[in-house]
Amino acid sequence: MPLEIQDSEVDIVIAALQPNLTTFFEAWRPFFSRFHIIVVKDPDMAEDLQIPAGFDLKVYTKSDINGLLGASSSINLSGHSCRYFGYLVSRKKYVISIDDNCLPAKDTAGSTVDVVAQHMANLKTPATPFFFNTLYDPYRKGADFVRGYPFSLREGVECMLSCGLWLHNADYDPMTHVVKRNQRNTTYVDAVMTVPLGAMLPVSGINVAFNRDVLGPAMFPGLRLRNEGKHRWDTLEDIWNGLCAKVVCDSLGYGVKTGLPYVMRSDAEAGKALESLKEWEGVKVMDDVLPFFQSLKLSRTAVTVDDCVKELAGVVREKLGPKNAIFTKAADAMVEWNNLWKVHGAQNA
C-alpha cells in the first residue's frame, strides 16, 4: 500500500547561497509545489533572490535571523548553516532540505526521482539498527527479513533521520576534489539501509530529511572551522551535526537510514578547492572528533532529545574543548540553540 503523504506535514527547507533560483525551482516544481517551502537567504549575500511564482513559499533574510538570535549570539548562520534557521521556524512534523545546486536525478529505469516520496518512505517505515539485514531495508517492496533475523526485532524502531545521496558531483573534501577534479559519481545504487547502532557516518546536508517533531532540537548549527567558506568542502557543520544526531538516536533507540533518494548535484569550482586546501583544518578536527563520538555513551537520565543535546554539549566542552577552541564554541552554540528551540522551535512556541 502506497504511503500517504499529507501536504500539511512537510516543510521543504532551502538554503539560498545563490541569487537566481529560477532553474532550481522550475526543476523541482513537480515535487515541491504541493508543499510549503522555507527559503533562508544566506545573510552574507547582498543580491535579491529570483524565485518563480506558483509556490507556497516564505523567504527569511538576515533581518529575520538577527531579530531572532540577537546581536550577542554565539551561533553563526552564514553560508550553508543558514538552513538551520529554516528548521527552527518550521512548524511541520517532517523537514526535507536540498542544496540549491541540486536538481532531480533519474533512476536506473530513466524515471525522475521523487525525493519527497522516498524520504518520507524512509521516515515513515521502521528502521532496524540493532541487527543488520543483508537485504538492506526489509520494508521496501520486494524485500523482507532474511533467514536468521530475530523475530523479536522485526518490528523495528522509528526512523528519525533520512540521509540521501547525490549523482554527478560527489560530496568530497578539498583534497579529494583536487586529486579527482574530473571524476563524477554515475553509480545509482537502488538501496536503502539502516545505519547500525554505534556506527558513525558523515551526514551530508546536501540531501537530508528528518522528523522535526522528535529530532528537531538535535538538528543544530554547532562546529564551524576557522576559515569556513561557502562550498561544502569548506565545512564540517553538517558532519558534526550528523554525528551528534546519530549519538542521540542511538541513545534513545531511534533509527537512521542512508541511501535513496538521489539528487543530481551540479559541478563545483574545482580550482577553488585547491585554495581551500591550503588552510583546511578539517583533517585534524576529524581525527579528534571520530574517536570521541565512537566512545561516547550518554547517561540513562537523558531520556529526551533535549536532555541528550544538553548533556552532549557539556561533554564536548569538557573532553574536546581543551584540544581546540572551535569545540568550546561548538558547545556554546549547542547550548544556545537548545534554549532557542524551547522558545521559538517548539510546536507551541
Side-chain angles (χ1 to χ4, degrees):
M1 181 181 297
L3 285 171
E4 184 178 357
I5 305 173
Q6 300 292 333
D7 297 1
S8 59
E9 66 181 355
V10 177
D11 260 338
I12 311 293
V13 172
I14 307 299
L17 272 67
Q18 55 182 318
N20 191 343
L21 298 178
T22 302
T23 300
F24 174 86
F25 273 101
E26 291 298 351
W28 287 107
R29 186 181 292 275
F31 308 106
F32 287 177
S33 59
R34 59 179 280 207
F35 300 105
H36 181 251
I37 302 172
I38 294 173
V39 176
V40 186
K41 181 182 176 183
D42 179 4
D44 294 338
M45 183 168 60
E47 299 94 328
D48 292 333
L49 294 181
Q50 300 175 46
I51 300 174
F55 293 92
D56 176 15
L57 181 147
K58 182 170 177 58
V59 175
Y60 292 90
T61 63
K62 183 177 181 178
S63 62
D64 298 307
I65 294 173
N66 291 343
L68 206 60
L69 268 61
S72 61
S73 176
S74 61
I75 298 172
N76 187 330
L77 290 180
S78 65
H80 288 289
S81 291
C82 69
R83 68 193 174 107
Y84 294 103
F85 189 81
Y87 300 173
L88 182 67
V89 298
S90 171
R91 289 298 178 268
K92 302 298 175 63
K93 180 174 182 179
Y94 300 103
V95 165
I96 297 171
S97 185
I98 307 292
D99 274 7
D100 67 355
N101 65 341
C102 295
L103 300 176
K106 292 188 181 295
D107 62 20
T108 53
S111 300
T112 305
V113 175
D114 184 343
V115 296
V116 177
Q118 183 61 58
H119 272 309
M120 294 303 292
N122 294 347
L123 292 170
K124 287 195 167 193
T125 55
T128 54
F130 305 122
F131 196 69
F132 187 78
N133 189 54
T134 51
L135 276 181
Y136 306 121
D137 189 345
Y139 304 99
R140 289 191 72 202
K141 182 178 179 181
D144 210 324
F145 293 98
V146 297
R147 178 174 55 86
Y149 202 100
F151 279 86
S152 61
L153 296 178
R154 294 191 182 197
E155 288 187 3
V157 299
E158 287 185 87
C159 180
M160 291 298 154
L161 182 60
S162 171
C163 310
L165 297 172
W166 357 261
L167 292 172
H168 194 61
N169 183 28
D171 189 13
Y172 291 142
D173 53 48
M175 291 81 73
T176 311
H177 265 294
V178 170
V179 174
K180 297 184 176 181
R181 65 177 62 195
N182 296 318
Q183 179 173 301
R184 298 295 179 263
N185 179 32
T186 59
T187 304
Y188 184 100
V189 180
D190 187 13
V192 178
M193 65 184 73
T194 296
V195 183
L197 177 71
M200 297 294 105
L201 76 160
V203 174
S204 171
I206 292 171
N207 172 19
V208 69
F210 61 96
N211 184 323
R212 183 189 178 278
D213 276 1
V214 178
L215 195 61
M219 300 301 290
F220 49 73
L223 187 78
R224 286 187 72 92
L225 302 178
R226 288 183 180 86
N227 296 298
E228 186 158 310
K230 303 296 183 181
H231 296 285
R232 278 290 179 194
W233 62 61
D234 288 326
T235 75
L236 282 179
E237 51 84 12
D238 51 347
I239 307 300
W240 173 266
N241 174 232
L243 293 169
C244 293
K246 182 58 164 63
V247 166
V248 170
C249 286
D250 283 355
S251 184
L252 298 180
Y254 297 129
V256 174
K257 293 181 183 178
T258 185
L260 303 178
Y262 280 81
V263 295
M264 180 67 70
R265 190 165 178 250
S266 68
D267 277 315
E269 300 172 70
K272 292 187 177 181
L274 183 59
E275 297 174 17
S276 300
L277 181 57
K278 297 174 183 177
E279 298 180 337
W280 202 66
E281 61 180 331
V283 173
K284 179 63 172 68
V285 167
M286 288 306 297
D287 283 343
D288 291 330
V289 163
L290 186 55
F292 167 77
F293 281 105
Q294 286 176 324
S295 62
L296 180 62
K297 301 293 182 186
L298 299 178
S299 68
R300 293 186 178 182
T301 59
V303 296
T304 66
V305 173
D306 177 76
D307 292 339
C308 291
V309 172
K310 287 189 290 187
E311 182 175 321
L312 182 54
V315 180
V316 167
R317 189 187 311 279
E318 177 188 355
K319 302 294 185 182
L320 292 178
K323 296 184 177 183
N324 193 323
I326 65 172
F327 296 124
T328 301
K329 292 180 180 179
D332 291 340
M334 291 163 66
V335 170
E336 183 179 345
W337 186 261
N338 202 35
N339 293 331
L340 273 173
W341 194 273
K342 292 176 185 177
V343 177
H344 302 288
Q347 291 289 11
N348 57 356

